[in-house]
Amino acid sequence: MTREILFLTATRADFGKLKPLIARVRDSEAFTYRIFVTGMHMLSRYGSTAREIEKAGFTGLFQHINQDGAVTSQMDLVLANTIQGLGHYIREFPPDLVVVHGDRLEALAGAAVGALNNTLVAHVEGGELSGTVDELLRHAVSKLSHVHFVANEEARTRLVQMGELPESVFVVGSPDIDVMLGDTLPDLDEVRRKYAIPFGDYVILMYHPVTTELERLPGHIEEVAAAIEASGRRCVAIYPNNDSGSEVILDRLRTLEAGDAARFRLIPSMRFEYFLSLLRGASAIVGNSSAGVREAPVYGVPTVNIGSRQLNRFRGGASVLNVPEERAAIRKALENLPRDCAPSRHFGHGNSAELFLKTLAEPAFWKTPRQKQFRDVGMARG
């Protein structure tokens, strides 16, 4: 019996995580796959990255626009639109398994639609700390999911603590590390040519809205931008995600590039492999993106992690410097970046797709009950 797996992707970041898993399923004779493409992938302002999924050689794509310029900042409407579109799709083309990733609104929609349609749901990278509203979303996705593919034992422990069945939680590592440690990344010169980056020594700036601190966002991005300007460093800045407040950030980033194009390059989006090569060659990554605390430590690249968005997440040892949204603190960190940081393998060793497929091949996996009940931890049953 050939089982069909539906992957849901909404951002450049989650596709980078899911790509190794999709590729391994595609190459297996035991499974077929389809991809529900939505979210930022469908927005021209972010580069219409649905095309990158096609360029990666994947077929079976269904593209759903869940937002436009009028609703980008209205997260509840984005969630509702995704649930409606995905619900119609799943009822028309029922899969055996829905795979969602992380802590975005679309992942919550995928888990909810799967659960309400009695379809098995797998959550990739649950059990982690995200900070802000993302953490609420991540844990909600986990509770709506039936099985979990987590990055490490810490994440597994958190899910079990939340009442998830231990036998439904599988430690496979973070799938993007398969790509990071592979031999298919483009060289840095190719990346610079493709994205018209005119300099060789640079830091990467990725700063996203903190949805629980929107009233402070204008001041925060001003502090970040002023620190980068004063540092004298060349900078590749990448558009923020499409959460509420993204326009405030974009407006300030545009002034950086307009003010000194020789030092600043602003890019809407990058193909995942190209971003990884850019990261590997950077002097540092600055901002509040998870890339600073997840991907950068794999390469030993220093991170200036700003503010609360990654609160209590893995700190990457000596490679991650945590600072407030204050220009003096940010500039001081940029002037005192750690050197020769040891690469971290806290989130995996590059074999996630192999472990994922091995788990799917087990007959017991497909017998996972769709009906979930809370499991009391450390309490006697009477």
Side-chain angles (χ1 to χ4, degrees):
M1 175 183 179
T2 302
R3 297 188 182 274
E4 187 164 82
I5 301 173
L6 178 66
F7 294 89
L8 186 152
T9 177
T11 72
R12 62 200 179 201
D14 71 43
F15 177 65
K17 301 271 190 175
L18 292 173
K19 184 178 179 180
L21 309 183
I22 302 172
R24 188 58 64 96
V25 167
R26 176 195 60 194
D27 297 339
S28 169
E29 296 181 356
F31 305 99
T32 59
Y33 76 96
R34 284 180 280 121
I35 308 174
F36 190 89
V37 183
T38 188
M40 292 172 64
H41 287 305
M42 305 303 299
L43 300 178
S44 59
R45 69 183 298 183
Y46 291 99
S48 299
T49 52
R51 294 177 297 195
E52 299 299 330
I53 302 174
E54 296 173 337
K55 290 178 182 178
F58 295 120
T59 58
L61 277 62
F62 181 85
Q63 300 182 18
H64 172 65
I65 297 175
N66 67 353
Q67 61 193 277
D68 56 27
V71 299
T72 296
S73 63
Q74 301 174 45
M75 299 171 71
D76 51 351
L77 293 183
V78 174
L79 176 62
N81 291 341
T82 311
I83 289 175
Q84 183 180 53
L86 182 62
H88 290 325
Y89 183 80
I90 281 183
R91 286 186 289 276
E92 187 69 20
F93 305 103
D96 295 293
L97 175 69
V98 177
V99 178
V100 300
H101 171 272
D103 57 12
R104 302 294 295 168
L105 288 171
E106 289 86 357
L108 179 59
V113 169
L116 293 174
N117 284 276
N118 200 35
T119 302
L120 197 65
V121 178
H123 185 203
V124 179
E125 292 193 344
E128 298 192 15
L129 305 179
S130 303
T132 74
V133 72
D134 293 347
E135 183 154 339
L136 301 179
L137 296 178
R138 188 186 299 268
H139 296 330
V141 173
S142 290
K143 294 311 298 182
L144 286 165
S145 301
H146 305 96
V147 291
H148 313 273
F149 293 96
V150 301
N152 49 39
E153 288 293 339
E154 290 179 8
R156 183 180 187 276
T157 298
R158 291 192 190 101
L159 287 181
V160 173
Q161 180 181 325
M162 288 169 57
E164 296 301 293
L165 295 172
E167 58 267 28
S168 74
V169 186
F170 305 95
V171 178
V172 300
S174 185
D176 60 331
I177 295 179
D178 292 22
V179 183
M180 296 184 72
L181 300 182
D183 56 3
T184 60
L185 298 183
D187 64 47
L188 186 56
D189 287 340
E190 180 182 347
V191 176
R192 292 176 57 214
R193 285 193 299 270
K194 180 176 177 64
Y195 292 97
I197 299 170
F199 36 75
D201 180 47
Y202 58 88
V203 298
I204 298 172
L205 173 61
M206 298 179 70
Y207 190 81
H208 302 297
V210 179
T211 56
T212 53
E213 301 175 358
L214 289 180
E215 72 282 356
R216 288 179 276 171
L217 181 57
H220 284 170
I221 186 57
E222 179 57 35
E223 291 295 301
V224 173
I228 293 291
E229 287 176 314
S231 73
R233 289 184 175 271
R234 299 177 178 92
C235 177
V236 178
I238 300 175
Y239 274 31
N241 64 31
N242 59 334
D243 285 346
S244 301
S246 60
E247 275 298 334
V248 175
I249 296 173
L250 268 178
D251 286 345
R252 188 61 178 93
L253 294 183
R254 291 186 182 112
T255 67
L256 286 178
E257 187 175 50
D260 191 348
R263 279 183 54 206
F264 299 102
R265 175 74 173 98
L266 179 59
I267 301 174
S269 183
M270 296 186 72
R271 190 182 301 180
F272 187 60
E273 288 84 354
Y274 284 74
F275 170 72
L276 292 178
S277 290
L278 187 76
L279 176 62
R280 186 170 58 183
S283 298
I285 180 169
V286 185
N288 61 5
S289 169
S290 62
V293 297
R294 292 293 302 265
E295 281 78 25
V298 175
Y299 291 140
V301 172
T303 297
V304 180
N305 180 52
I306 302 171
S308 65
R309 189 168 185 267
Q310 304 300 332
L311 183 66
N312 293 326
R313 295 196 79 174
F314 175 65
R315 296 309 192 192
S319 70
V320 179
L321 304 177
N322 298 292
V323 299
E325 282 102 342
E326 298 173 2
R327 67 187 72 186
I330 298 168
R331 185 175 178 184
K332 181 179 179 181
L334 284 169
E335 293 171 349
N336 295 277
L337 294 172
R339 298 176 179 272
D340 302 321
C341 300
S344 169
R345 297 294 180 265
H346 183 74
F347 291 104
H349 300 273
N351 61 343
S352 295
E354 176 186 346
L355 295 175
F356 175 76
L357 192 67
K358 181 179 179 181
T359 302
L360 296 187
E362 293 292 335
F365 177 88
W366 299 100
K367 296 178 182 177
T368 301
R370 274 57 167 178
Q371 176 64 47
K372 288 182 65 174
Q373 286 188 314
F374 194 82
R375 171 179 171 269
D376 293 321
V377 178
M379 296 176 62
R381 295 181 183 271

